[in-house]
């Protein structure tokens, strides 16, 4: 596992990480959370160059984690 994450991390190293998250970063984040859990953000952030623990947690909890609701905030209305 660690070799795969290290290889992926090396591929994104040097990018400007202040902006949007890349698909590669999202995948590393998901893999790290599977490996280390969703309470060890210091360790998770070590595998994503340029991202700090709080940004990793925010990205996971608010955008890509399994408990994030996707779709319209208004829901689908049945007019029939």
């Amino acid at each position: 596992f660690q070799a795969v994450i290290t290889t992926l991390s090396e591929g994104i190293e040097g990018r400007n990480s202040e902006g949007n998250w890349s698909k590669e970063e999202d995948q590393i984040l998901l893999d790290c959370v599977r490996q280390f859990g969703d309470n060890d953000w210091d360790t998770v952030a070590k595998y994503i160059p340029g991202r700090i623990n709080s940004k990793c947690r925010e990205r996971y909890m608010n955008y890509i984690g399994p408990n994030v609701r996707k779709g319209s905030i208004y829901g689908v209305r049945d007019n029939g």
Side-chain angles (χ1 to χ4, degrees):
F1 169 78
Q2 191 159 352
V4 172
I5 295 300
T6 300
T7 302
L8 290 171
S9 295
E10 289 170 356
I12 62 173
E13 198 166 328
R15 290 187 187 173
N16 180 1
S17 296
E18 292 182 15
N20 295 332
W21 285 67
S22 69
K23 290 180 182 181
E24 293 88 359
E25 288 175 307
D26 282 346
Q27 188 58 56
I28 293 169
L29 180 58
L30 289 169
D31 292 343
C32 285
V33 171
R34 270 190 227 106
Q35 179 72 20
F36 306 115
D38 63 1
N39 288 316
D40 192 0
W41 298 109
D42 288 333
T43 300
V44 170
K46 289 178 185 177
Y47 290 91
I48 308 174
R51 302 292 185 179
I52 60 174
N53 58 2
S54 62
K55 292 299 179 182
C56 291
R57 181 189 180 286
E58 177 183 316
R59 179 71 177 169
Y60 183 77
M61 295 295 192
N62 296 329
Y63 296 97
I64 65 171
N67 295 325
V68 174
R69 287 185 172 180
K70 295 175 176 63
S72 172
I73 61 171
Y74 302 107
V76 177
R77 190 183 312 206
D78 183 5
N79 292 328

